[in-house]
Amino acid sequence: MQRLTVVVPAYNESAVLAAFHARLSKVLDALPLSCDVLYVDDGSRDDTWAIIQSLAGADARAGGLKLSRNFGKEAALTAGLDHVDADAAVVIDADLQDPPELIAQLVEQWQSGYDVVYATRSARAGETGLKRFTAAAFYRAMEVMSDVAVPRDTGDFRLLSRRALAALSQLRERQRFMKGLFAWIGYRQTSVKYLRDPRLAGKTKWNYWRLTQFAIEGITSFSSAPLKLATWTGLAASVVAFLFGLKVLLKALFHGDPVHGYPSLMVVILFLGGIQLLALGVIGEYLGRNYNESKQRPLYFIEEEQAPVSRTSFHTQATPRR
Ligand code: UDP
Ligand code: MG
């Protein structure tokens, strides 16, 4: 029988985890696969880990990893995926915003030959108009600027085949923009549509500040367009400055030029100063990323692990864990 592992990152999810596992279990029972579930406690400060342990005690299919601190969802996901040795893995949020029932459809698509099956939201219940607007704007910007087409309105909820997993596990970059990485590996990809529910309990960790950082991360990880933009803006400004300089010079030569033009001088200085600082900021953004990558730190540390009882081996895949 083919095997499937469900990877669930959880950060302070004690309020929903038991309900989540109950709902997931029902879905897994109905699948014609041998399944296990791997919870990754991303350094929670509540009793998420205790709950994971008790789930693992009660259900032979459940296991967990506890990271040494909060590394962020992308690292937690990576930790989980590194510990999959099944034929396919599903990545799903613990807060029940991704309906576990959809896994059956993901599996169906996988069995018909797809390597990456992602879930696409067709509506975003319980989210504000502003959030929807910013999300749409972000996907649009990614589409225009990056070299990979990141599918719109998808989260991390998806299924990966064995070879997609193997490919993903070779991407060890520290700046992990998962949606982009999933798209970047290629293979046969398809989507399944669903309605996204509001969070069942607990609260989202994504405030606008984090979302902005996430957007910058996505764009800088997959596109050098902002650097080119700086170059082109600089070039355009130089051409304009040259023409304007010529005009000033000729005017002074033929008409003489009593001192004039303080306002225009100020405008030009402030405008160019602003653009220069912005361009420096863009360069700094890339330089910072470069600095982080060059340190070559591991993506996460595991403090404790509890293998699913049903699983024979836990450490898996000859992953290049650098
Ligand atoms: N999560 C995590 N580490 C973090 C933040 C979130 O593992 O630092 C997990 C969280 O427990 C949940 C999933 O990632 O299972 C999605 O988080 P959240 O619901 O806050 O994000 P949203 O649904 O708003 O995108
Ligand atoms: Mg959520």
Side-chain angles (χ1 to χ4, degrees), residues 268-280:
V268 169
I269 290 177
L270 291 178
F271 176 69
L272 288 184
I275 289 201
Q276 282 166 4
L277 286 180
L278 194 72
L280 272 182

Side-chain angles (χ1 to χ4, degrees), residues 31-53:
L31 288 178
L33 300 165
S34 119
C35 303
D36 53 47
V37 188
L38 190 54
Y39 291 98
V40 183
D41 176 7
D42 187 16
S44 299
R45 268 160 297 168
D46 60 1
D47 49 2
T48 297
W49 181 241
I51 294 174
I52 293 174
Q53 282 180 307

Side-chain angles (χ1 to χ4, degrees), residues 93 95 97 196 199:
D93 285 359
D95 59 10
Q97 273 186 295
R196 186 158 165 93
R199 251 182 170 291

